[in-house]
mmCIF file of all heavy atoms in Angstrom:
data_model
loop_
_atom_site.group_PDB
_atom_site.id
_atom_site.type_symbol
_atom_site.label_atom_id
_atom_site.label_comp_id
_atom_site.label_asym_id
_atom_site.label_seq_id
_atom_site.Cartn_x
_atom_site.Cartn_y
_atom_site.Cartn_z
ATOM 1 N N VAL A 19 19.671 -206.856 47.869
ATOM 2 C CA VAL A 19 20.379 -208.102 47.614
ATOM 3 C C VAL A 19 21.868 -207.815 47.490
ATOM 4 O O VAL A 19 22.294 -206.997 46.683
ATOM 5 C CB VAL A 19 19.880 -208.769 46.313
ATOM 6 C CG1 VAL A 19 20.608 -210.094 46.102
ATOM 7 C CG2 VAL A 19 18.385 -208.996 46.364
ATOM 8 N N GLU A 20 22.664 -208.459 48.333
ATOM 9 C CA GLU A 20 24.114 -208.298 48.254
ATOM 10 C C GLU A 20 24.677 -209.374 47.348
ATOM 11 O O GLU A 20 24.799 -210.525 47.748
ATOM 12 C CB GLU A 20 24.719 -208.448 49.651
ATOM 13 C CG GLU A 20 24.903 -207.130 50.378
ATOM 14 C CD GLU A 20 25.720 -207.341 51.636
ATOM 15 O OE1 GLU A 20 25.218 -208.043 52.521
ATOM 16 O OE2 GLU A 20 26.845 -206.833 51.698
ATOM 17 N N ALA A 21 25.023 -209.011 46.123
ATOM 18 C CA ALA A 21 25.505 -210.008 45.171
ATOM 19 C C ALA A 21 26.959 -210.369 45.450
ATOM 20 O O ALA A 21 27.370 -211.506 45.296
ATOM 21 C CB ALA A 21 25.349 -209.491 43.752
ATOM 22 N N VAL A 22 27.764 -209.387 45.829
ATOM 23 C CA VAL A 22 29.172 -209.623 46.168
ATOM 24 C C VAL A 22 29.422 -208.981 47.524
ATOM 25 O O VAL A 22 29.080 -207.817 47.734
ATOM 26 C CB VAL A 22 30.110 -209.013 45.099
ATOM 27 C CG1 VAL A 22 31.561 -209.219 45.483
ATOM 28 C CG2 VAL A 22 29.839 -209.626 43.729
ATOM 29 N N ARG A 23 29.987 -209.756 48.448
ATOM 30 C CA ARG A 23 30.125 -209.268 49.822
ATOM 31 C C ARG A 23 31.577 -209.164 50.246
ATOM 32 O O ARG A 23 32.122 -210.082 50.864
ATOM 33 C CB ARG A 23 29.436 -210.234 50.779
ATOM 34 C CG ARG A 23 28.021 -210.559 50.370
ATOM 35 C CD ARG A 23 27.484 -211.619 51.288
ATOM 36 N NE ARG A 23 26.134 -211.966 50.868
ATOM 37 C CZ ARG A 23 25.297 -212.670 51.607
ATOM 38 N NH1 ARG A 23 25.676 -213.087 52.784
ATOM 39 N NH2 ARG A 23 24.096 -212.941 51.155
ATOM 40 N N GLY A 24 32.204 -208.067 49.869
ATOM 41 C CA GLY A 24 33.543 -207.795 50.368
ATOM 42 C C GLY A 24 34.590 -208.829 50.026
ATOM 43 O O GLY A 24 35.189 -209.416 50.925
ATOM 44 N N VAL A 25 34.846 -209.054 48.741
ATOM 45 C CA VAL A 25 35.869 -210.029 48.376
ATOM 46 C C VAL A 25 37.220 -209.324 48.207
ATOM 47 O O VAL A 25 37.290 -208.171 47.809
ATOM 48 C CB VAL A 25 35.514 -210.806 47.080
ATOM 49 C CG1 VAL A 25 34.222 -211.571 47.269
ATOM 50 C CG2 VAL A 25 35.433 -209.891 45.880
ATOM 51 N N SER A 26 38.289 -210.039 48.548
ATOM 52 C CA SER A 26 39.654 -209.528 48.389
ATOM 53 C C SER A 26 40.514 -210.631 47.807
ATOM 54 O O SER A 26 40.443 -211.780 48.251
ATOM 55 C CB SER A 26 40.244 -209.125 49.743
ATOM 56 O OG SER A 26 39.476 -208.099 50.324
ATOM 57 N N PHE A 27 41.318 -210.284 46.807
ATOM 58 C CA PHE A 27 42.297 -211.243 46.273
ATOM 59 C C PHE A 27 43.256 -210.514 45.350
ATOM 60 O O PHE A 27 43.040 -209.357 44.996
ATOM 61 C CB PHE A 27 41.613 -212.403 45.527
ATOM 62 C CG PHE A 27 40.749 -211.970 44.377
ATOM 63 C CD1 PHE A 27 41.277 -211.833 43.086
ATOM 64 C CD2 PHE A 27 39.406 -211.702 44.566
ATOM 65 C CE1 PHE A 27 40.484 -211.437 42.030
ATOM 66 C CE2 PHE A 27 38.600 -211.294 43.510
ATOM 67 C CZ PHE A 27 39.139 -211.160 42.244
ATOM 68 N N GLU A 28 44.320 -211.220 44.982
ATOM 69 C CA GLU A 28 45.302 -210.663 44.047
ATOM 70 C C GLU A 28 45.572 -211.682 42.972
ATOM 71 O O GLU A 28 45.596 -212.876 43.237
ATOM 72 C CB GLU A 28 46.612 -210.361 44.778
ATOM 73 C CG GLU A 28 46.692 -208.950 45.291
ATOM 74 C CD GLU A 28 48.018 -208.666 45.962
ATOM 75 O OE1 GLU A 28 49.036 -209.228 45.501
ATOM 76 O OE2 GLU A 28 48.019 -207.899 46.932
ATOM 77 N N VAL A 29 45.780 -211.202 41.751
ATOM 78 C CA VAL A 29 46.163 -212.088 40.667
ATOM 79 C C VAL A 29 47.490 -211.583 40.127
ATOM 80 O O VAL A 29 47.621 -210.403 39.799
ATOM 81 C CB VAL A 29 45.098 -212.099 39.540
ATOM 82 C CG1 VAL A 29 45.523 -213.030 38.413
ATOM 83 C CG2 VAL A 29 43.739 -212.512 40.091
ATOM 84 N N ALA A 30 48.478 -212.483 40.062
ATOM 85 C CA ALA A 30 49.804 -212.074 39.594
ATOM 86 C C ALA A 30 49.810 -211.967 38.079
ATOM 87 O O ALA A 30 49.021 -212.625 37.396
ATOM 88 C CB ALA A 30 50.843 -213.094 40.050
ATOM 89 N N ALA A 31 50.715 -211.151 37.542
ATOM 90 C CA ALA A 31 50.847 -211.018 36.093
ATOM 91 C C ALA A 31 51.209 -212.375 35.494
ATOM 92 O O ALA A 31 52.051 -213.095 36.035
ATOM 93 C CB ALA A 31 51.905 -209.983 35.756
ATOM 94 N N GLY A 32 50.577 -212.732 34.408
ATOM 95 C CA GLY A 32 50.872 -213.982 33.723
ATOM 96 C C GLY A 32 50.147 -215.197 34.262
ATOM 97 O O GLY A 32 50.296 -216.305 33.752
ATOM 98 N N GLU A 33 49.320 -214.987 35.264
ATOM 99 C CA GLU A 33 48.629 -216.112 35.890
ATOM 100 C C GLU A 33 47.325 -216.448 35.140
ATOM 101 O O GLU A 33 46.720 -215.579 34.520
ATOM 102 C CB GLU A 33 48.298 -215.716 37.332
ATOM 103 C CG GLU A 33 47.928 -216.884 38.215
ATOM 104 C CD GLU A 33 47.756 -216.448 39.678
ATOM 105 O OE1 GLU A 33 47.889 -215.259 39.992
ATOM 106 O OE2 GLU A 33 47.477 -217.332 40.491
ATOM 107 N N VAL A 34 46.892 -217.720 35.200
ATOM 108 C CA VAL A 34 45.544 -218.075 34.764
ATOM 109 C C VAL A 34 44.747 -218.301 36.043
ATOM 110 O O VAL A 34 44.999 -219.238 36.792
ATOM 111 C CB VAL A 34 45.511 -219.353 33.899
ATOM 112 C CG1 VAL A 34 44.072 -219.707 33.536
ATOM 113 C CG2 VAL A 34 46.333 -219.158 32.636
ATOM 114 N N PHE A 35 43.826 -217.386 36.287
ATOM 115 C CA PHE A 35 43.111 -217.380 37.558
ATOM 116 C C PHE A 35 41.648 -217.723 37.311
ATOM 117 O O PHE A 35 41.010 -217.121 36.451
ATOM 118 C CB PHE A 35 43.229 -215.983 38.185
ATOM 119 C CG PHE A 35 42.736 -215.886 39.588
ATOM 120 C CD1 PHE A 35 43.567 -216.185 40.654
ATOM 121 C CD2 PHE A 35 41.431 -215.488 39.849
ATOM 122 C CE1 PHE A 35 43.110 -216.087 41.967
ATOM 123 C CE2 PHE A 35 40.968 -215.389 41.150
ATOM 124 C CZ PHE A 35 41.812 -215.697 42.219
ATOM 125 N N GLY A 36 41.140 -218.687 38.049
ATOM 126 C CA GLY A 36 39.759 -219.122 37.822
ATOM 127 C C GLY A 36 38.843 -218.726 38.964
ATOM 128 O O GLY A 36 39.222 -218.783 40.129
ATOM 129 N N PHE A 37 37.664 -218.314 38.596
ATOM 130 C CA PHE A 37 36.640 -217.994 39.578
ATOM 131 C C PHE A 37 35.595 -219.079 39.452
ATOM 132 O O PHE A 37 34.968 -219.219 38.417
ATOM 133 C CB PHE A 37 36.026 -216.635 39.212
ATOM 134 C CG PHE A 37 36.091 -215.643 40.317
ATOM 135 C CD1 PHE A 37 37.221 -215.526 41.093
ATOM 136 C CD2 PHE A 37 35.014 -214.811 40.573
ATOM 137 C CE1 PHE A 37 37.283 -214.592 42.114
ATOM 138 C CE2 PHE A 37 35.064 -213.882 41.591
ATOM 139 C CZ PHE A 37 36.197 -213.771 42.358
ATOM 140 N N LEU A 38 35.408 -219.828 40.513
ATOM 141 C CA LEU A 38 34.570 -221.002 40.422
ATOM 142 C C LEU A 38 33.390 -220.849 41.362
ATOM 143 O O LEU A 38 33.556 -220.387 42.488
ATOM 144 C CB LEU A 38 35.421 -222.206 40.840
ATOM 145 C CG LEU A 38 34.825 -223.583 40.733
ATOM 146 C CD1 LEU A 38 34.708 -223.964 39.275
ATOM 147 C CD2 LEU A 38 35.729 -224.576 41.445
ATOM 148 N N GLY A 39 32.231 -221.240 40.887
ATOM 149 C CA GLY A 39 31.079 -221.167 41.772
ATOM 150 C C GLY A 39 29.808 -221.398 40.978
ATOM 151 O O GLY A 39 29.825 -221.336 39.755
ATOM 152 N N PRO A 40 28.727 -221.676 41.686
ATOM 153 C CA PRO A 40 27.468 -221.916 40.987
ATOM 154 C C PRO A 40 26.933 -220.623 40.368
ATOM 155 O O PRO A 40 27.388 -219.542 40.716
ATOM 156 C CB PRO A 40 26.540 -222.403 42.099
ATOM 157 C CG PRO A 40 27.110 -221.848 43.355
ATOM 158 C CD PRO A 40 28.585 -221.754 43.143
ATOM 159 N N ASN A 41 25.970 -220.751 39.467
ATOM 160 C CA ASN A 41 25.294 -219.570 38.935
ATOM 161 C C ASN A 41 24.723 -218.781 40.097
ATOM 162 O O ASN A 41 24.189 -219.356 41.028
ATOM 163 C CB ASN A 41 24.131 -219.978 38.021
ATOM 164 C CG ASN A 41 24.641 -220.538 36.707
ATOM 165 O OD1 ASN A 41 25.694 -220.144 36.236
ATOM 166 N ND2 ASN A 41 23.890 -221.464 36.138
ATOM 167 N N GLY A 42 24.852 -217.470 40.030
ATOM 168 C CA GLY A 42 24.267 -216.643 41.085
ATOM 169 C C GLY A 42 25.193 -216.454 42.272
ATOM 170 O O GLY A 42 24.820 -215.836 43.251
ATOM 171 N N ALA A 43 26.435 -216.965 42.183
ATOM 172 C CA ALA A 43 27.352 -216.820 43.311
ATOM 173 C C ALA A 43 27.993 -215.438 43.359
ATOM 174 O O ALA A 43 28.610 -215.074 44.342
ATOM 175 C CB ALA A 43 28.438 -217.894 43.245
ATOM 176 N N GLY A 44 27.866 -214.685 42.259
ATOM 177 C CA GLY A 44 28.445 -213.336 42.233
ATOM 178 C C GLY A 44 29.658 -213.225 41.326
ATOM 179 O O GLY A 44 30.339 -212.205 41.327
ATOM 180 N N LYS A 45 29.931 -214.274 40.529
ATOM 181 C CA LYS A 45 31.114 -214.254 39.664
ATOM 182 C C LYS A 45 30.998 -213.178 38.593
ATOM 183 O O LYS A 45 31.919 -212.381 38.389
ATOM 184 C CB LYS A 45 31.275 -215.617 38.957
ATOM 185 C CG LYS A 45 31.627 -216.762 39.863
ATOM 186 C CD LYS A 45 31.567 -218.074 39.090
ATOM 187 C CE LYS A 45 30.155 -218.288 38.633
ATOM 188 N NZ LYS A 45 29.893 -219.390 37.771
ATOM 189 N N THR A 46 29.866 -213.169 37.891
ATOM 190 C CA THR A 46 29.704 -212.210 36.801
ATOM 191 C C THR A 46 29.668 -210.781 37.326
ATOM 192 O O THR A 46 30.250 -209.879 36.733
ATOM 193 C CB THR A 46 28.442 -212.537 35.986
ATOM 194 O OG1 THR A 46 28.598 -213.834 35.424
ATOM 195 C CG2 THR A 46 28.232 -211.548 34.863
ATOM 196 N N THR A 47 29.029 -210.592 38.459
ATOM 197 C CA THR A 47 28.992 -209.245 39.042
ATOM 198 C C THR A 47 30.405 -208.777 39.371
ATOM 199 O O THR A 47 30.769 -207.635 39.122
ATOM 200 C CB THR A 47 28.124 -209.259 40.315
ATOM 201 O OG1 THR A 47 26.860 -209.825 40.001
ATOM 202 C CG2 THR A 47 27.915 -207.859 40.840
#
Side-chain angles (χ1 to χ4, degrees):
Chain A
V19 182
E20 266 190 295
V22 178
R23 309 174 182 193
V25 299
S26 299
F27 58 90
E28 267 182 34
V29 180
E33 196 174 2
V34 177
F35 189 86
F37 236 42
L38 185 71
N41 288 329
K45 292 172 297 174
T46 298
T47 307

